[in-house]
Every structure is written in structure tokens, then in C-alpha cells.
Amino acid sequence: MQAEPGTSGGRSLLSRITAITDLFAYPLRTSHYVELVNPLWTTHKLQARVVEVWDETKDARTLTLKPGLNWRGHRAGQHLRVGIPVGGMHYTRTYTISSPPEREDDCFTITVKAIAGGRISHHIVRNIKVGDYLPIGLPQGEFYLPDAQPVLPLFITAGSGITPAMSMLRSLIAQERLPDTAHIHYAPHEFDVIFGQELREMARKFPRYHLNLVFTHEYGEQKQTKGYFSAEQLDRLCPDWREREVYACGPPGLLAALERHFEQAGRSRHLHIERFLASFAEVPADAVGGTVRFRRSQRSVQADSKTSLLRVAEDAGMNPPHGCRMGICHTCNTTLLSGCVRDLRTGKVLNEAGSMVQTCICAAAGDCELDL
Ligand code: FES
């Protein structure tokens, strides 16, 4: 029987054949020529073809992606890096996989919300179409359900932070082992709820799934006190929260409030958090930016004190290395040659020449020079 590309038998057969054909393909590799036939069969890089796009809400879209040969599957809750070509530049963003690993067609989905000022997320939501090929990384992240089933999970999510929870819920349902599960999800309005219809159907179909949707903008001026997370609200919506294992994903404000609350209750160990935005400190009103010089690229640009150096470099037409854009992966690290920069998460100023700078979470704090 002939082995199909993508199966383990197919891979070992392919690797034996390509070990020989690589000799003739030098200085390239066989994979570079195979890419001309089918980009998903390449082995020198991993790509995915967009096979379906689906609008979840007016500003959130799900892409169904068919990954190439090197794909290794994911665990529910993990994320991956996706390369997005825009206007001749190549950008990388990190998105959580929203589909369960149990999907049978070897595809997976990412669900992207167009965020204010986010030109790449807007491009994905508006312009990516079926048939496009996107470079992808392998799944990463520690935010997933343990193999031993959590006894009583509570998901607390907001906005597009629902995506890892959705992957976990779909996975538990696919495995027919959904335990007693509580879910509190925050969205501005009812029509902003990503996966809204599916969530309601799940709540109807599975009595063990208890869904609470909180529409924060329904409270008008009082939304801060009434709509957003509070200890009283948690007690009301999920009275047994102290007995649950909590999985939370959402904006920094919500996660910070949860961390405080669970610490005070002595339950920090039971709170598992996935951050999809870096948490930035307030930049003092009198902080100033400066001239940023990128030595290797021989460019100098003016930058303010709030814009990340990564963004400053991209706006200057450069294509610096980057991954998560939230201070986790260190792909964007470079050396500070002179001057000072500020870590936007902590407010700390780095001014020692030779310091390692994460460009995605640092901004100019005066004139500075980087080894980029
Ligand atoms: S891009 Fe990941 S740490 Fe900067």
C-alpha cells in the first residue's frame, strides 16, 4: 500500500528518498522544489493553507488551516506563531488554537479579533482568504488541561480570551468526559460574544456546563463597578469557586484582579492564567522618547516613550526578528549599544550598554542605539 504524505510511514519513506535527492538539489534542498508543487509538502519550513474563513462577529474571524507535513498536533489551550505577509513585509503574531486536537480532518482553527490599532489583526480579519498560505510555528504553551481530568473546572474569559477555553471545552466534549464545568465570559455586548451560538447550544445540551455571559457595556456609566469582575460578582455567579480549578484568559486588568483575589483567598495555586497581551506599566506623563538609532540597518528615527522599539523598527521599514510580541519568547532580543530604554511592563529603565533589550516590550527613554 502506498504511504500518504503526512503519515509516519510516508515521512520515513520521504526522508529516505530526500536524503538522496538532496545531493542533486544542492545548494538548495529537495524541499525547495517540492514547494513549487505543493507548499504543504515542504520540510524546510512549516506552512498552512487557509481552507475556510468564518466570521464569528463583526470583528472576529475564524480561519481553518490545513498544516503541512511537519505539523505535530497540539494540546487544547496551546498557541502558535503565524506569519502574516502585509504590504511586502513579513510579520509574526501569536494566536491560540480554538479547535480541539480531536478534529478528524487534520485541520485546526485560529480565531482572531481585530483589535484597535492592530493593523495585522485587521488584515487577517478583512483580507486573508481561502487558498492563502501562511508560515506557522509548532504549538507552544503550558496553558492546557492536565491529562488527569480537572475535577471541577471554572473558565473565566473575556473577549478573544475565550479561544483557549473553547479548544478545551470542545476537546472535553469530543472525548465525552466533560465534568461539571462553570464558565464566566465577559463581552461588551451580546453580539460581541465570539462562539456565542455554540456556547449557548452547549449550555442547552450539557446540563453539567454552566454558562454565565456578562455584558459589560450594558451597565452604561456603572460598567466598572457592575459589569467587570468583582469578588461579589464571582460569589454570585459561581458560589463554589473555591472548590474549582480556574483557567483564565483575558485582558491584563481582568487577570490582575483575579490574581489579587485568588492570592487573598489563598487559592493562587488553583488559578491558571494565559496572557494574550503584555501587561504594561503606566508611563509617567513627563516621560520623553528620543532618537533611536539602529546601527546595523543604519537608520535613525524619532520615537515616543510608549511605542515598542519593535514597532518603531517596523514602522521604519525594517523587518526585525520577533515572535510573541509580549515578552515571552525572547526572539526579539537585541543589545543596547548606548542610551536608555524603558521596559513597558515594569517601568524599569535600562541604561547599561551591553544590556539585552526585548524590543517588543521596551520603548525609548531618551536617545538610544540598538544592535539591529
Ligand atoms: S517577540 Fe517574544 S519576547 Fe519579544
Side-chain angles (χ1 to χ4, degrees), residues 80 87 157 185 224 246 260-261 286 289 293 312:
L80 82 169
T157 56
H185 179 67
Q224 292 279 358
V246 181
R260 276 195 304 274
H261 186 59
D286 57 355
R293 180 169 154 69
V312 170

Side-chain angles (χ1 to χ4, degrees), residues 315-334:
D315 287 345
M318 296 165 55
N319 199 1
H322 61 275
C324 65
R325 304 182 79 92
M326 58 179 91
I328 297 171
C329 69
H330 291 267
T331 310
C332 64
N333 281 11
T334 190

Side-chain angles (χ1 to χ4, degrees), residues 257-276:
L258 285 170
E259 280 179 317
R260 276 195 304 274
H261 186 59
F262 276 70
E263 194 177 337
Q264 283 165 9
R267 298 281 303 168
S268 295
R269 203 160 53 84
H270 301 278
L271 175 65
H272 312 275
I273 277 182
E274 175 77 319
R275 297 180 193 279
F276 62 89

Side-chain angles (χ1 to χ4, degrees), residues 214-274:
V214 181
F215 306 125
T216 52
H217 284 37
E218 272 188 355
Y219 298 92
E221 290 295 301
Q222 293 181 303
K223 64 186 181 188
Q224 292 279 358
T225 50
K226 288 227 165 170
Y228 291 3
F229 171 82
S230 69
E232 174 276 326
Q233 185 194 57
L234 181 60
D235 284 338
R236 181 164 43 82
L237 298 181
C238 184
D240 62 355
W241 64 270
R242 288 176 187 80
E243 290 149 41
R244 292 179 178 271
E245 212 60 34
V246 181
Y247 296 85
C249 184
L254 170 65
L255 300 183
L258 285 170
E259 280 179 317
R260 276 195 304 274
H261 186 59
F262 276 70
E263 194 177 337
Q264 283 165 9
R267 298 281 303 168
S268 295
R269 203 160 53 84
H270 301 278
L271 175 65
H272 312 275
I273 277 182
E274 175 77 319

Side-chain angles (χ1 to χ4, degrees), residues 203-220:
R204 263 196 301 275
K205 196 166 165 194
F206 301 102
R208 280 177 293 179
Y209 173 62
H210 312 287
L211 174 67
N212 276 294
L213 296 174
V214 181
F215 306 125
T216 52
H217 284 37
E218 272 188 355
Y219 298 92

Side-chain angles (χ1 to χ4, degrees), residues 15 40 111 133 217 238 281 304 322-323:
S15 59
L40 297 188
T111 303
Y133 286 88
H217 284 37
C238 184
D304 63 30
H322 61 275

